[in-house]
Amino acid sequence: MSDLRDPAPYDALLLLSFGGPEGPDDVVPFLANVTRGRGIPEERLKEVGKHYFLFGGVSPINAQNQALLGALREDFAGHGVDLPVYWGNRNWAPYLTDTLREMVQDGRRRIAVLATSAYASYSGCRQYRENLAASLAELEAEGLPVPRVDKLRHYFNHPGFVRPMVDGVLASLADLPEDVRAGAHLAFCTHSIPTAAADTSGPVETHGDGGAYVAEHLDVARVIVDAVREETGITYPWQLVYQSRSGAPHIPWLEPDICDHLETLRGEGVPAVVMAPIGFVSDHMEVLYDLDTEATAKAAELGLPVRRSATVGADPRFAAAVRELVLERAAAERGQPVRRCALGSLGPSHDLCPVGCCPARAPKPAAAGADSPYA
């Protein structure tokens, strides 16, 4: 039983997230961090940040990460897992480098990392690994010990991530008017990315049309549809759709956009839609603005009843899944046999990102992978 609670060789867990502004004065500096190196003028950043200003300049992501942090600590303590949990962001306080510095000063030398992105892609995985490498290089330059960091595997198909989303879809269907419920369609939503990035997502052997990014989302959607059918007796029509597109208009991104999709469904006579944001861990700005604001307004304009299902957030089942991910990786690092939980047809993801996985246009050092400069 002790092995089931033993996080060794890890002496800490790092919750690694995107970050977000805490007030109106933070919006432009935050967006400058996000777009650093692209030469975007301040006026353009103000235009891009308009959706933050609609919410008082405050992103909900920080509060949601604090809630998840609390849920993880509560779950670990309740199951006898003695592992401190820290929190660091890529683009806003608490910054990743500052958190890693604090961890090193606290004596942490072997760190498991949970990124708040469940799927394979450059922006959802390798970019986090590049940020880790850059922060470790800063610590090294300061003369501090450089800890070993191991990013936990992608958890898109872990039961603790998927089951709360199934419940969210069921609750949204039940909330629709009874006369349109049986004819509703499910729109599984995720962040659009450039098609070139999607096609090269995941290990090299998965590269191709949509790569691992699209394949993983489709697999999760099928699992949810099957679970909803078991509960309701109805096989609801569904489609994977995209949102939150940015960047130059001439560069192809994944489609269809959720708003365009709603127009298409209304034109086909669909009576109602449930928007299920399966690509997001929590109700951050892309969910609140792109779905709850823009897409919901589009649906109202079309006279189309819609509901938006819940993200996983700080659900205790997700916190338990993170504990399982930590302990399975710890056991694997100790050389013990491991049972890895995964739903759907793709199976559990890799522990170590291989060379060529989710490549960047301009190669940079990336930690926690087969090509890491920090073993």
Side-chain angles (χ1 to χ4, degrees):
M1 287 296 292
S2 60
D3 284 347
L4 299 178
R5 299 190 297 270
D6 186 3
Y10 298 110
D11 53 22
L13 173 67
L14 169 62
L15 174 64
L16 176 56
S17 194
F18 194 82
E22 299 279 9
D25 293 340
D26 296 341
V27 173
V28 171
F30 162 73
L31 292 173
N33 287 342
V34 174
T35 60
R36 182 178 290 113
R38 302 182 202 172
I40 299 177
E42 182 174 326
E43 288 307 310
R44 174 59 180 155
L45 294 179
K46 290 179 179 178
E47 174 64 21
V48 171
K50 63 183 180 181
H51 50 290
Y52 286 99
F53 293 118
L54 289 176
F55 294 87
V58 178
S59 170
I61 194 171
N62 290 336
Q64 289 160 4
N65 280 325
Q66 289 174 331
L68 179 56
L69 198 68
L72 292 173
R73 288 169 174 163
E74 181 178 355
D75 179 89
F76 285 12
H79 290 84
V81 176
D82 185 14
L83 195 71
V85 186
Y86 295 74
W87 169 35
N89 292 323
R90 288 171 45 192
N91 299 300
W92 203 250
Y95 287 103
L96 171 59
T97 302
D98 295 336
T99 299
L100 283 172
R101 185 183 298 110
E102 176 189 358
M103 296 176 81
V104 166
Q105 291 171 342
D106 287 347
R108 314 303 176 193
R109 297 293 182 269
R110 189 73 185 271
I111 300 168
V113 180
L114 174 77
T116 55
S117 178
Y119 299 85
S121 70
Y122 170 74
S123 57
C125 183
R126 185 174 178 89
Q127 193 169 17
Y128 282 93
R129 293 176 49 224
E130 290 176 353
N131 295 140
L132 283 166
S135 292
L136 293 176
E138 287 192 47
L139 298 186
E140 189 174 37
E142 294 171 9
L144 293 171
V146 177
R148 162 82 177 266
V149 295
D150 291 334
K151 182 177 176 292
L152 299 176
R153 67 176 171 95
H154 300 298
Y155 47 84
F156 63 93
N157 56 3
H158 193 289
F161 183 68
V162 177
R163 296 299 183 190
M165 294 192 293
V166 171
D167 289 350
V169 171
L170 289 169
S172 291
L173 286 168
D175 192 48
L176 284 170
E178 188 173 356
D179 60 332
V180 299
R181 187 180 305 148
H185 279 226
L186 308 180
F188 293 105
C189 307
T190 192
H191 208 302
S192 185
I193 61 175
T195 56
D199 293 346
T200 56
S201 58
V204 172
E205 60 269 21
T206 69
H207 291 182
D209 187 15
Y213 185 75
V214 172
E216 290 169 0
H217 282 87
L218 289 173
D219 208 44
V220 170
R222 293 185 191 104
V223 170
I224 294 174
V225 169
D226 288 346
V228 169
R229 182 182 62 246
E230 291 178 6
E231 183 72 22
T232 65
I234 300 173
T235 301
Y236 285 93
W238 63 276
Q239 186 167 339
L240 179 63
V241 299
Y242 302 94
Q243 60 178 92
S244 312
R245 186 206 155 110
S246 61
H250 69 278
I251 297 176
W253 283 53
L254 293 173
E255 296 177 338
D257 177 78
I258 176 61
C259 290
D260 295 338
H261 183 60
L262 293 176
E263 285 194 24
T264 298
L265 292 180
R266 193 51 163 166
E268 294 172 350
V270 170
V273 177
V274 169
M275 301 182 293
I278 63 171
F280 306 94
V281 171
S282 64
D283 288 4
H284 51 56
M285 190 58 72
E286 281 82 357
V287 176
L288 294 188
Y289 183 76
D290 296 333
L291 294 183
D292 292 357
T293 304
E294 279 197 331
T296 300
K298 170 59 71 173
E301 174 190 318
L302 297 168
L304 178 65
V306 295
R307 297 293 185 273
R308 196 269 291 174
S309 66
T311 52
V312 173
D315 190 292
R317 290 169 291 182
F318 181 46
V322 174
R323 168 172 42 86
E324 291 177 9
L325 291 168
V326 170
L327 296 180
E328 78 170 34
R329 182 65 181 273
E333 293 294 316
R334 297 194 302 266
Q336 296 175 326
V338 176
R339 176 180 174 270
R340 302 174 188 270
C341 293
L343 300 174
S345 64
L346 297 181
S349 185
H350 49 263
D351 277 342
L352 195 67
C353 291
V355 175
C357 194
C358 304
R361 286 177 295 177
K364 297 179 182 178
D371 55 354
S372 172
Y374 299 101

